[in-house]
Amino acid sequence: MPPTTTYKYLDPEALSRLKNLSLAARQVVEGYFAGMHKSPHKGFSIEFAEHREYTPGVDPRHIDWRVLGRRDKLYVKQYEEETCLRCYLLVDKSASMGYKSEGMSLTKLEYASYMAASLAYLMASQHDSAGLFTFDTAVRDRIPSRQGHGHLRVLMEKLEQAQAGGETTLSATFHELAESIKRRALIVILSDLFDDPAALLGALQHFRHKKHEVIVFQVLDPAEVTFPFDDITRIEDMENHREVTSDPRAFRKAYLDELAKLLDTIRNGCRSAQIDYTVAPTDQRFDLFLGTYLARRQALNS
């Protein structure tokens, strides 16, 4: 299913590399059409779930006559419904996501947008539904989760309009979104996660408390990971514009120590909350990174 219209973040070559992959839910989701994912609702479809006592009006074809012989009561078989996956893509477009170090071809926001567009395309290809939230100082775009290529066009247009904005407090935004998404879904977060880690993890756990499955891609520029600066320099925070003048060699060690603690805290907190977490480095081709991730996830699901 090649894209019929040219969109900035839908790369045909990248999509061809991803065409044999899919994004499936590992946990129970809610949906509204027949699909490839288990629903928490019981019905009479494919996979046996449990027995329940017969009540008048239920189709007698579902009566388990063998149970009648053992218990002298009528019971019917209940099955798991297969359902459409509902996915929400949460794209951080705060000021820090506009960063691109020397030699990089994409800002963090552009990298996240390529990933979000590819995942939305995969959702459409497997007849699942995708929605989009973008945010900086507040939630800027709220696109509900729907199916179809017309809806995919809406998502692509919103991603193309996204520009790095102001400072953000991720934890407050995630708490708000966790309350606003009413039905169980797969939540995919694309952000650099620059926030207080304790508050951030509390907000991510809010999604899990609401029974959502959560995937977190922490999008980082290689310069943010290695801090390759070795001259006396001025360092500016892209979100609040505070400046620090320091010897980078001394600053580098302190920075890398704090970064390691931050990443460990987030990784361990996500693991404890059963949240799928991985770092997405912008110096790796996004389709190669995403393809490797999806293949590994499929292998774990099989």
Side-chain angles (χ1 to χ4, degrees):
M1 185 186 68
T4 55
T5 308
T6 300
Y7 294 106
K8 176 180 178 180
Y9 293 119
L10 280 184
D11 182 330
E13 290 187 10
L15 295 176
S16 69
R17 298 186 188 102
L18 299 172
K19 65 181 179 181
N20 295 321
L21 298 169
S22 63
L23 179 60
R26 289 180 183 165
Q27 301 161 21
V28 176
V29 298
E30 284 182 289
Y32 37 86
F33 295 107
M36 61 187 290
H37 314 280
K38 282 188 178 181
S39 168
H41 305 299
K42 301 295 189 299
F44 296 112
S45 56
I46 299 172
E47 186 175 340
F48 174 74
E50 62 186 6
H51 288 98
R52 69 175 173 84
E53 194 167 344
Y54 173 80
T55 55
V58 173
D59 191 334
R61 290 177 299 173
H62 300 296
I63 293 174
D64 191 329
W65 299 105
R66 290 175 298 181
V67 174
L68 172 64
R70 294 196 304 269
R71 299 189 183 182
D72 199 28
K73 271 189 176 183
L74 291 177
Y75 286 85
V76 294
K77 292 181 177 180
Q78 282 196 300
Y79 296 82
E80 296 281 2
E81 289 182 308
E82 297 299 311
T83 181
C84 164
L85 173 64
R86 180 182 289 102
C87 175
Y88 288 97
L89 302 161
L90 278 54
V91 178
D92 180 356
K93 61 174 190 177
S94 59
S96 63
M97 291 292 287
Y99 179 67
K100 177 178 69 174
S101 64
E102 186 176 353
M104 292 298 101
S105 59
L106 299 174
T107 66
K108 291 186 289 182
L109 177 56
E110 289 170 329
Y111 193 90
S113 297
Y114 271 111
M115 289 181 60
S118 299
L119 290 171
Y121 184 84
L122 287 178
M123 291 287 105
S125 300
Q126 63 194 43
H127 305 291
D128 286 324
S129 63
L132 174 69
F133 294 96
T134 69
F135 51 90
D136 52 13
T137 54
V139 177
R140 300 302 181 187
D141 296 302
R142 297 176 183 265
I143 311 301
S145 181
R146 293 190 181 130
Q147 294 176 309
H149 296 295
H151 184 65
L152 180 65
R153 181 175 63 250
V154 173
L155 298 182
M156 295 306 104
E157 290 172 353
K158 286 298 181 183
L159 286 172
E160 290 191 12
Q161 294 167 10
Q163 296 183 355
E167 188 173 3
T168 187
T169 304
L170 292 177
S171 55
T173 299
F174 291 165
H175 280 300
E176 176 189 345
L177 292 176
E179 286 297 321
S180 69
I181 300 173
K182 300 301 183 182
R183 300 184 66 180
R184 296 183 191 180
L186 176 63
I187 308 297
V188 180
I189 296 171
L190 300 113
S191 169
D192 53 21
L193 301 184
F194 288 163
D195 196 2
D196 175 73
L200 176 64
L201 289 171
L204 293 175
Q205 288 166 1
H206 193 165
F207 286 115
R208 296 291 294 121
H209 177 72
K210 293 292 187 176
K211 309 300 183 184
H212 301 301
E213 183 171 356
V214 183
I215 297 174
V216 175
F217 294 114
Q218 185 171 17
V219 183
L220 295 176
D221 186 278
E224 294 174 322
V225 177
T226 62
F227 201 82
F229 312 108
D230 55 7
D231 296 325
I232 300 295
T233 188
R234 178 178 57 84
I235 300 165
E236 180 180 350
D237 187 312
M238 292 184 67
E239 294 200 0
N240 56 35
H241 303 293
R242 288 180 297 185
E243 296 182 5
V244 176
T245 301
S246 175
D247 178 351
R249 286 166 294 187
F251 187 88
R252 181 175 185 272
K253 183 181 185 308
Y255 169 86
L256 293 177
D257 287 345
E258 287 302 313
L259 179 66
K261 290 178 185 176
L262 173 70
L263 298 184
D264 284 345
T265 299
I266 294 173
R267 184 182 300 109
N268 293 334
C270 286
R271 185 184 299 117
S272 297
Q274 295 184 302
I275 292 170
D276 198 348
Y277 163 84
T278 188
V279 172
T282 62
D283 59 343
Q284 184 174 352
R285 238 175 40 200
F286 77 91
D287 55 328
L288 177 60
F289 168 82
L290 196 54
T292 301
Y293 171 81
L294 291 173
R296 184 173 66 249
R297 184 178 173 87
Q298 279 186 198
L300 290 172
N301 285 354
S302 61

